[in-house]
Amino acid sequence: MKLTDLDFSYPEELIATSPVRPSRVMWVEGELEPQEISLQELLSRIPAGDVLVVNNTRVLKRRVFSGDVEILFLKQINATDWEVLFPSKKFKIGAVLELPLGVQMTLLQKGRPQTVRLSQEVGEDYFQKVAELPLPPYIQKAREQRHTVEADESWYQTAWNKSPGSFAAPTASLHFSADDIEGLKKRGVKVLEVTLHVGLGTFLPVTAEDLNDHDMHEEYVEISASTWAAVQNAKAEGRRIWSLGTTTSRSLESAAQGLLGEMSEAGFSGFTKLLIQPGYQYKVVDCLMTNFHQPQSTLVALVAGFSSLNRVKACYQWAIERKFRLFSYGDLTVWVAAAKSAVHEG
């Protein structure tokens, strides 16, 4: 697949800069015409006995400013050395940047990411005091404001976040409240959690002309033995697996493909570089709930792998014509596999 195959155009005014709740929902079932349904209607279409899988990752506050230079702290190498991502082109090796609270940062190595050394060891307390959540750059651009607003602290975390480690939110989950999930459980829907920490790849554009040449950055995944057993039992009983987000889908499919190694007593834990695109055969996910995604992204490829590229582009155009709000703070899409479109009653 060529990168240009994943391209489409959209009006920039449709980029959502804040959430609207309840969001609009585009429902795509098999080859039927897309339809708009309410969020409550979506919840009612998930029947008792089916399984909903969510990602419980928590977004880290790791975006630090040195004047107008924005630095994303990615990975601690040792007490004072870090891998970071920032616009380093105008800086020479050895350049020193002043960070908040008197911390100095020295550039040791360029590249993507860069390596830097801090003048003192910093921990989570430091980032909680001085750092911001790493909102997608296109939201900053659309807002004409590089800094987060206070409401982003709640807007950009899921209602069930518990495992710190992500550099971006699993945004499909932002549409749902804890009460929504409790309501599903009371109706007999089995709600399960996995962990995938969204990594550096979410910030880097695809540069390879052929998607097969794109180097996916690895991301850490955990799936408990009990969650995986419940998923397998549901599949064996003909129940559907609803995946809330692309991160959850990649977690489940990585386990099914054997990419997370052998299961231990605790379950699966490991790193995945799984790239899903048209031609991929989903082994676990029957219904995919996800946001609208940016052109020329691996996320559009993932949705196209679940449906088809022509189908995704046609449905996106349908939604754009109806002014659905796009991307991380935008509206929701639901893709239901044709072979599993009949609702299972109890």
Side-chain angles (χ1 to χ4, degrees):
M1 169 166 287
K2 300 301 182 185
L3 183 60
T4 51
D5 294 337
L6 301 171
D7 205 8
F8 62 90
S9 59
Y10 60 90
E12 290 200 2
E13 60 265 25
L14 293 185
I15 298 175
T17 57
S18 62
V20 172
R21 300 292 179 257
S23 58
R24 297 169 70 186
V25 179
M26 179 179 74
W27 175 276
V28 184
E29 188 169 350
E31 294 301 315
L32 300 176
E33 179 79 4
Q35 61 179 140
E36 181 174 350
I37 63 173
S38 68
L39 195 69
Q40 285 305 310
E41 172 68 14
L42 166 59
L43 293 170
S44 73
R45 292 188 181 191
I46 306 177
D50 276 11
V51 172
L52 172 66
V53 187
V54 304
N55 184 2
N56 64 14
T57 190
R58 178 173 178 80
V59 186
L60 299 168
K61 295 176 73 171
R62 287 291 187 274
R63 194 161 61 109
V64 178
F65 284 83
S66 172
D68 64 351
V69 178
E70 185 176 323
I71 304 147
L72 183 65
F73 281 77
L74 299 171
K75 180 181 178 182
Q76 189 168 16
I77 300 170
N78 55 43
T80 57
D81 292 3
W82 284 78
E83 288 184 356
V84 302
L85 193 64
F86 79 107
S88 62
K89 188 175 181 179
K90 64 180 180 180
F91 296 99
K92 295 181 178 180
I93 299 296
V96 177
L97 285 77
E98 298 291 335
L99 304 187
L101 302 182
V103 176
Q104 294 182 321
M105 183 184 89
T106 302
L107 178 59
L108 300 182
Q109 183 177 331
K110 291 193 174 187
R112 273 189 167 178
Q114 300 89 18
T115 304
V116 300
R117 177 164 296 156
L118 303 185
S119 57
Q120 62 190 71
E121 186 173 356
V122 300
E124 190 60 33
D125 287 349
Y126 178 78
F127 291 113
Q128 287 299 321
K129 289 176 184 175
V130 308
E132 299 181 11
L133 291 168
L135 284 190
Y138 58 79
I139 291 182
Q140 300 174 45
K141 182 180 177 182
R143 285 179 176 176
E144 298 182 345
Q145 165 63 273
R146 292 176 64 195
H147 292 276
T148 55
V149 299
E150 186 177 350
D152 288 317
E153 295 285 333
S154 57
W155 286 346
Y156 204 61
Q157 297 282 11
T158 70
W160 44 84
N161 72 84
K162 63 175 68 166
S163 181
S166 276
F167 294 106
T171 52
S173 293
L174 302 181
H175 299 276
F176 300 93
S177 67
D179 287 343
D180 292 331
I181 299 302
E182 284 306 310
L184 289 174
K185 290 177 178 178
K186 287 178 181 177
R187 286 204 295 103
V189 177
K190 196 169 187 66
V191 180
L192 305 173
E193 296 183 2
V194 299
T195 302
L196 181 142
H197 293 320
V198 185
L200 172 66
T202 194
F203 289 92
L204 298 180
V206 178
T207 55
E209 289 187 15
D210 189 321
L211 207 59
N212 289 323
D213 296 331
H214 175 62
D215 182 22
M216 288 284 285
H217 283 77
E218 64 182 16
E219 295 173 310
Y220 181 73
V221 179
E222 284 185 6
I223 304 174
S224 71
S226 60
T227 289
W228 189 245
V231 166
Q232 294 303 302
N233 290 340
K235 296 291 287 185
E237 294 171 358
R239 310 282 184 173
R240 290 179 303 182
I241 308 300
W242 298 71
S243 176
L244 186 50
T246 57
T247 61
T248 303
S249 298
R250 290 185 68 236
S251 300
L252 295 171
E253 295 297 322
S254 293
Q257 295 281 2
L259 301 180
L260 302 179
E262 295 295 322
M263 180 188 286
S264 67
E265 288 187 8
F268 293 108
S269 63
F271 290 87
T272 182
K273 298 183 73 169
L274 177 63
L275 170 62
I276 296 177
Q277 59 179 310
Y280 179 84
Q281 295 296 315
Y282 277 77
K283 297 179 179 298
V284 180
V285 178
D286 301 305
C287 306
L288 170 62
M289 295 186 279
T290 186
N291 283 27
F292 292 94
H293 299 295
Q294 287 192 292
Q296 297 193 10
S297 67
T298 58
L299 301 177
V300 171
L302 184 150
V303 181
F306 187 84
S307 179
S308 74
L309 183 58
N310 288 338
R311 183 84 171 122
V312 169
K313 293 174 85 166
C315 291
Y316 270 37
Q317 184 59 38
W318 181 93
I320 288 167
E321 289 171 359
R322 288 157 180 79
K323 300 189 183 308
F324 275 69
R325 303 168 79 248
L326 303 180
F327 312 144
S328 290
Y329 279 154
D331 292 317
L332 183 65
T333 72
V334 183
W335 306 82
V336 181
K340 296 282 188 177
S341 59
V343 173
H344 184 96
E345 299 294 343

